[in-house]
Amino acid sequence: MKTFHASPSLKVVRRYHELFPADELNVLLSLAFNEAEREGFLVQYRNIVAEIIGDSGAWSVAMGKSTLTLEAVINFLLLWGNKFDRYFNFDTDFSTRGFGNNINNQLEMEKRGLVPIPVVHNFYNFEIDYYVRSRKYDWLALGSKQSSNFRHLKHAVDRIKKGNPAIKIHWFGGSTHDWLIQLPIASCDTTSWAKSGAYGIIKYWNPRNEELDKTDYIYVGGRMKGLDTSAYHFVTYPFRKDLEAYLMTNFGFRYEDLCGYDDKFNMQLVNMKYYTDLERRINDERRKRNIPLE
C-alpha cells in the first residue's frame, strides 16, 4: 500500500528529501492547482519523488473552485500524461447518479488515446460491475462520499476484489489507519499532512500510546477554530520530552520552530514524515493480518 501526499509545494518536497533522502515519497498532483511547479515535479526534480499520480482536478471543478474543462485536461495529458505513473478520469459529477457524465468523460479520454483510471461514485448500483466486467481496467478508484463510512468502503472493495482480484484500488482522500490495515487497498492520498499544520496541529506516533493506532494529535498554536477536542497541547503534552527528542533528532526542531517564522512549513514537514511512516506501519500490520499489500 502506498500513500500519496496531495498537492504539496515543491519547496516542502525538496526540503523533505534533504532531511530524509532514503524515504520513498509519493505525490498526487492536481491539474487544478500549482501549475507553475508542475514541470519542476515532473522533470527537474522527478528523481526525488518515488511515484507521481495525476488528479484531473474534477473535485475542484465540482466544488466551483476551478474552471477546468474536459478538453483542457485531455490536451494537458496528451502532452504530459506519460510523466505520471497513473492519472484519473475527469469525473466531475460526484453524485451517486453521475455515472452517465463520468463514463462519457472516461470514454472520450480513451478515444483520444489516454488511459485514465475510472473513479467509482456509487458503491451499490451497477457501476462497479460495469468496470469489472469490461475487463479493461487494472485500477479503479473510489471517490464517493460513501467511502467516509467503513462499511460502505469495505463493501466496494469486496465487490471489486470478488469480481476481479487482480484489480488494484485507489482510495481518494482517505488515510485512516484502522481501515487501511483491514482492506487490500493499493494506494490512497491525503491532504491531512498540510491541513493539520494549517490548523496548528502536528501528528506524532507515540510509542507509549496503548492503542493500535498510536497517533497523538498535538496542538502547537495558531488557528483555534475547528480544533479537535481530542488534541493535546504541546506545552502540557504528557510525553513532551519524547516528542521534543523526536523533533530534534529527525528535524532539528525545537518548540519555537513550530511557533514562529516558517511555523506552518515546519509543521508540514513533521506531518509529511508522519504519513510517510504511517504507510510503512500500515503495511507492517497488514503483513501480520495476511492482508495483501497490493
Side-chain angles (χ1 to χ4, degrees), residues 38-100:
R38 284 181 200 156
E39 188 170 356
F41 274 106
L42 296 172
V43 180
Q44 188 176 1
Y45 295 101
R46 183 63 184 84
N47 63 304
I48 70 174
V49 178
E51 288 192 12
I52 299 180
I53 58 177
D55 183 298
S56 66
W59 171 255
S60 298
V61 172
M63 295 297 104
K65 297 180 180 180
S66 172
T67 58
L68 270 174
T69 64
L70 176 62
E71 189 64 23
V73 170
I74 289 173
N75 288 334
F76 173 82
L77 290 174
L78 287 173
L79 289 172
W80 293 94
N82 64 337
K83 300 293 185 182
F84 292 90
D85 289 276
R86 294 177 296 284
Y87 51 84
F88 300 91
N89 182 30
F90 191 56
D91 53 314
T92 50
D93 191 331
F94 280 71
S95 74
T96 56
R97 298 181 178 181
F99 177 77

Side-chain angles (χ1 to χ4, degrees), residues 23 28 31 39 94 98 105 141 143 176 201 206 220 245 252 268 276 292:
D23 281 4
L28 177 146
L31 273 60
E39 188 170 356
F94 280 71
N105 289 353
T176 306
I201 290 176
N206 178 12
V220 178
Q268 285 182 358
T276 304

Side-chain angles (χ1 to χ4, degrees), residues 132-179:
V132 170
R133 290 172 181 171
S134 74
R135 300 183 181 274
K136 291 169 58 177
Y137 305 108
D138 298 328
W139 282 81
L140 290 177
L142 302 178
S144 171
K145 294 178 182 178
Q146 294 169 341
S147 64
S148 61
N149 177 289
F150 177 76
R151 180 172 59 85
H152 299 325
L153 182 66
K154 184 178 186 303
H155 174 80
V157 172
D158 289 346
R159 281 187 69 182
I160 293 169
K161 289 299 186 179
K162 182 178 180 180
N164 183 351
I167 293 176
K168 294 185 177 181
I169 299 168
H170 180 88
W171 176 21
F172 266 116
S175 57
T176 306
H177 170 274
D178 289 354
W179 297 7

Side-chain angles (χ1 to χ4, degrees), residues 59 77 107 140 154 166 182 230 235 260 269 288:
W59 171 255
L77 290 174
L107 295 176
L140 290 177
K154 184 178 186 303
Q182 301 180 61
S230 66
V235 174
L269 286 171
K288 295 177 184 176

Side-chain angles (χ1 to χ4, degrees), residues 75-248:
N75 288 334
F76 173 82
L77 290 174
L78 287 173
L79 289 172
W80 293 94
N82 64 337
K83 300 293 185 182
F84 292 90
D85 289 276
R86 294 177 296 284
Y87 51 84
F88 300 91
N89 182 30
F90 191 56
D91 53 314
T92 50
D93 191 331
F94 280 71
S95 74
T96 56
R97 298 181 178 181
F99 177 77
N101 171 84
N102 297 333
I103 191 61
N104 285 340
N105 289 353
Q106 175 80 26
L107 295 176
E108 180 62 24
M109 292 173 75
E110 292 176 7
K111 180 181 176 182
R112 301 283 288 275
L114 300 174
V115 286
I117 295 172
V119 185
V120 178
H121 289 280
N122 191 324
F123 298 168
Y124 290 93
N125 68 355
F126 59 87
E127 195 169 340
I128 288 175
D129 293 337
Y130 171 87
Y131 291 122
V132 170
R133 290 172 181 171
S134 74
R135 300 183 181 274
K136 291 169 58 177
Y137 305 108
D138 298 328
W139 282 81
L140 290 177
L142 302 178
S144 171
K145 294 178 182 178
Q146 294 169 341
S147 64
S148 61
N149 177 289
F150 177 76
R151 180 172 59 85
H152 299 325
L153 182 66
K154 184 178 186 303
H155 174 80
V157 172
D158 289 346
R159 281 187 69 182
I160 293 169
K161 289 299 186 179
K162 182 178 180 180
N164 183 351
I167 293 176
K168 294 185 177 181
I169 299 168
H170 180 88
W171 176 21
F172 266 116
S175 57
T176 306
H177 170 274
D178 289 354
W179 297 7
L180 286 167
I181 62 175
Q182 301 180 61
L183 301 173
I185 289 173
S187 64
C188 66
D189 63 85
T190 180
T191 58
S192 295
W193 65 272
K195 288 183 177 179
S196 296
Y199 282 85
I201 290 176
I202 59 173
K203 295 185 178 182
Y204 171 58
W205 189 267
N206 178 12
R208 299 176 185 264
N209 187 327
E210 296 181 356
E211 301 295 327
L212 181 60
D213 180 355
K214 300 182 182 301
T215 306
D216 283 348
Y217 295 70
I218 301 158
Y219 177 72
V220 178
R223 186 174 178 179
M224 288 292 292
K225 185 179 180 181
L227 180 64
D228 190 331
T229 56
S230 66
Y232 293 99
H233 196 292
F234 192 104
V235 174
T236 57
Y237 182 49
F239 309 101
R240 177 173 175 174
K241 288 185 178 180
D242 294 343
L243 174 60
E244 288 178 325
Y246 167 79
L247 293 172
M248 179 55 64

